[in-house]
C-alpha cells in the first residue's frame, strides 16, 4: 500500500496532475505501481541497485521504445552463436520487473535488460565493469512509439498526441524523460571512458544489420562470420521477429491461460518497426517546435540522430 506521504504530485505542461513515487531517482506513476504487474518498486529498485553481478553479465540498456526487444534478441543469438529465438520474453530478464533472486537460476552469461539510467543500475555493474550495450533511436520516432505503447497498454497519463508531445518536450510529468535520460548516458559515458559500453543506433541496425551485428559480436568477443550475421539479421527482421513473438505468446498462453489478457496486449510491442514514422504524426508546427526544444535540451550534446 502506498501512503499519502510517499506520493509526489507534479502538474504537467497541460495542467494534468500526476501522482508519482520516486525511488532512487526513478519516477513511477502510482497508478502503474498499483496495477500489480511490477514488484513493489520501493523494494525492488534498492535491491536491484545492490544486486550481486557476475563478471560476465551483459546489460542491454535503452530508453523505452528504442529497440530493446530487437537488440536483446540479437544479443542472445550471438551469445548462443545460433539464430534461434529465445523461448522466454525479454521482460523475464528486465531489471525493474523483478527482484534480483529471479535471475539467480539463469545460465551465464546472463543477458539482462533495462530502461534504468546508468546511475540506477546495480552498483556492481560499474565495479565489475560488466559489458553494457546501449541502443539509441531518434526521439521523434521514440515519441510516436511511446505514445502508441502507452495507449495500447492502457498506461495513459496523457491521452491526446499534441498533449503527449508537449509533455515529451518538457518532461513535466517526470515519467517521460528522453532528454534527461539521453544526456545522462552521454555524460556518464564521456566521464568513464574505460567502461565497456557499446553504443548502437536503431537506424544503423535497420539500414545495415549485418555490419552492426558483427560490430556487436566483436564487442561481445563472439566469433560471428558473415553467414551467421546474415542469418541473425534475417531471423530478427521486423517481420520475422514479430511472427516469432506471436508464436511464443501463443505457447505461453497455452501453458498459462490466466496470463491471457497481459500477453494478448503485447502485440503493440512490434508495431511498425520503421525509421521516420514520425512524419505521419508530427504537423509542420509540431516539428518546428520539437526541433527548437531539441536544440535547447541538447545544446551540450554531440549525439547525431538519423530521422529518415
Ligand atoms: P515502433 O512502435 O516504431 O514500431 P522497445 O523494444 O524498446 O520497446 O522498442 C519497440 C520499438 O522497436 C517498436 O517501434 C517496435 O516495432 C520496434 N522493433 C521491434 N523489433 C524490431 C525489428 N526487428 N526491427 C525494427 N524495429 C523493431
Amino acid at each position: 500500500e502506498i501512503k499519502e506521504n510517499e506520493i509526489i504530485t507534479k502538474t504537467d505542461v497541460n495542467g494534468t496532475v500526476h501522482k508519482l513515487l520516486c525511488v532512487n531517482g526513478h519516477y513511477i506513476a502510482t497508478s502503474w505501481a498499483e496495477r500489480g504487474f511490477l514488484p513493489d518498486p520501493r523494494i525492488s529498485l534498492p535491491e536491484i541497485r545492490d544486486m550481486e553481478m557476475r563478471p560476465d553479465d551483459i546489460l542491454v540498456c535503452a530508453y523505452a521504445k528504442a529497440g530493446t526487444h530487437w537488440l536483446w534478441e540479437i544479443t542472445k543469438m550471438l551469445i548462443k552463436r545460433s539464430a534461434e529465438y529465445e523461448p522466454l520474453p525479454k521482460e523475464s530478464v528486465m531489471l525493474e520487473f523483478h527482484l534480483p533472486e529471479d535471475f539467480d537460476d539463469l545460465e551465464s552469461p546472463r543477458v539482462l535488460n533495462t530502461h534504468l539510467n546508468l546511475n540506477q543500475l546495480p552498483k556492481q555493474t560499474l565495479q565489475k565493469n560488466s559489458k553494457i550495450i546501449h541502443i539509441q533511436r531518434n526521439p521523434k520516432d521514440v515519441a510516436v512509439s511511446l505514445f502508441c505503447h502507452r495507449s495500447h497498454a492502457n498506461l495513459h497519463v496523457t491521452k491526446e498526441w499534441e498533449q503527449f508531445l508537449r509533455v515529451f518536450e518538457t518532461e513535466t510529468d517526470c515519467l517521460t524523460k528522453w532528454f534527461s535520460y539521453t544526456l545522462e548516458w552521454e555524460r556518464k559515458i564521456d566521464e568513464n571512458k574505460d567502461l565497456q559500453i557499446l553504443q548502437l543506433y536503431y537506424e544503423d541496425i535497420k539500414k545495415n544489420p549485418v555490419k552492426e551485428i558483427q560490430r556487436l559480436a566483436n564487442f561481445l568477443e563472439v566469433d560471428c562470420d558473415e553467414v551467421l550475421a546474415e542469418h541473425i539479421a534475417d531471423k530478427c527482421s521486423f517481420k520475422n521477429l514479430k511472427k516469432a513473438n506471436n508464436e511464443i505468446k501463443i505457447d505461453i498462453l497455452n501453458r498459462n491461460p490466466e496470463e491471457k489478457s497481459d500477453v494478448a496486449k503485447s502485440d503493440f510491442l512490434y508495431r511498425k518497426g520503421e525509421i521516420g514514422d514520425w512524419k505521419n504524426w508530427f504537423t509542420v508546427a509540431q516539428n518546428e517546435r520539437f526541433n527548437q526544444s531539441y536544440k535547447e535540451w541538447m545544446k551540450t550534446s554531440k549525439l547525431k540522430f538519423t530521422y529518415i
Side-chain angles (χ1 to χ4, degrees):
E1 199 187 318
I2 301 170
K3 297 192 196 84
E4 271 309 307
N5 64 3
E6 291 175 294
I7 298 174
I8 298 165
T9 308
K10 296 271 178 195
T11 305
D12 73 21
V13 65
N14 305 308
T16 307
V17 178
H18 300 272
K19 289 183 164 187
L20 310 162
L21 262 178
C22 182
V23 186
N24 290 359
H26 185 70
Y27 287 91
I28 305 116
T30 53
S31 58
W32 301 355
E34 281 162 350
R35 273 173 67 173
F37 66 93
L38 299 171
D40 186 334
R42 293 165 298 180
I43 297 168
S44 64
L45 292 180
E47 282 198 22
I48 289 289
R49 185 93 177 112
D50 287 332
M51 100 183 221
E52 179 77 28
M53 294 291 281
R54 301 182 196 160
D56 57 356
D57 279 337
I58 297 161
L59 270 167
V60 172
C61 300
Y63 191 78
K65 314 322 289 173
T68 333
H69 286 77
W70 186 21
L71 186 60
W72 180 77
E73 196 74 45
I74 293 173
T75 307
K76 289 292 295 187
M77 288 185 180
L78 280 173
I79 294 295
K80 288 182 287 198
R81 292 181 189 79
S82 153
E84 277 166 46
Y85 297 114
E86 266 304 292
L88 290 173
K90 170 196 94 73
E91 287 68 22
S92 66
V93 284
M94 187 166 174
L95 291 182
E96 55 272 45
F97 276 23
H98 293 275
L99 293 168
E101 67 226 38
D102 297 344
F103 309 127
D104 283 352
D105 293 339
L106 296 174
E107 255 178 51
S108 290
R110 301 184 294 188
V111 184
L112 307 168
N113 71 92
T114 182
H115 297 320
L116 292 173
N117 222 316
L118 196 60
N119 56 6
Q120 297 157 337
L121 297 183
K123 289 181 206 142
Q124 289 192 6
T125 310
L126 301 190
Q127 288 157 10
K128 297 199 173 164
N129 205 0
S130 311
K131 283 195 162 92
I132 296 176
I133 310 156
H134 185 230
I135 180 167
Q136 309 251 32
R137 185 182 190 188
N138 85 67
K140 295 180 187 176
D141 281 330
V142 168
V144 170
S145 184
L146 190 59
F147 178 73
C148 295
H149 179 119
R150 292 210 186 140
S151 308
H152 286 269
N154 203 14
L155 287 173
H156 247 303
V157 272
T158 311
K159 289 196 172 59
E160 300 296 327
W161 164 243
E162 162 64 9
Q163 290 190 347
F164 174 83
L165 193 59
R166 280 200 170 272
V167 165
F168 191 98
E169 286 167 41
T170 55
E171 304 194 351
T172 42
D173 68 350
C174 281
L175 295 168
T176 315
K177 293 168 81 71
W178 183 87
F179 292 102
S180 311
Y181 172 95
T182 306
L183 286 168
E184 179 70 6
W185 269 91
E186 188 181 6
R187 190 170 66 81
K188 287 275 179 202
I189 292 171
D190 268 0
E191 284 171 6
N192 298 281
K193 294 253 191 286
D194 44 349
L195 292 179
Q196 300 195 79
I197 303 181
L198 178 71
Q199 292 230 62
L200 296 172
Y201 284 88
Y202 177 101
E203 292 79 9
D204 290 346
I205 310 177
K206 185 86 191 166
K207 288 180 182 178
N208 214 335
V210 172
K211 183 173 157 224
E212 292 305 294
I213 289 170
Q214 286 193 307
R215 205 152 81 82
L216 174 56
N218 244 343
F219 174 74
L220 294 170
E221 298 168 77
V222 162
D223 285 336
C224 174
D225 58 17
E226 206 158 314
V227 175
L228 177 60
E230 276 168 6
H231 201 182
I232 293 177
D234 178 54
K235 286 283 194 135
C236 291
S237 70
F238 179 74
K239 196 171 109 248
N240 288 340
L241 202 51
K242 180 173 178 138
K243 186 164 162 269
N245 192 265
N246 279 334
E247 280 159 13
I248 290 166
K249 277 187 297 180
I250 290 164
D251 187 43
I252 293 174
L253 281 184
N254 289 340
R255 282 184 280 129
N256 307 300
E258 70 279 4
E259 281 190 28
K260 194 170 179 119
S261 56
D262 277 352
V263 174
K265 274 192 223 146
S266 64
D267 239 2
F268 57 83
L269 293 173
Y270 295 85
R271 192 185 61 93
K272 267 197 163 177
E274 288 172 3
I275 308 169
D277 187 37
W278 64 270
K279 290 193 171 173
N280 298 316
W281 290 77
F282 283 62
T283 63
V284 171
Q286 285 171 341
N287 191 35
E288 280 170 10
R289 193 185 69 213
F290 191 93
N291 289 343
Q292 192 52 39
S293 303
Y294 184 95
K295 247 194 218 161
E296 284 161 23
W297 274 104
M298 304 297 280
K299 50 179 177 284
T300 58
S301 171
K302 295 188 194 73
L303 298 174
K304 297 253 179 295
F305 290 97
T306 310
Y307 292 89
I308 45 172

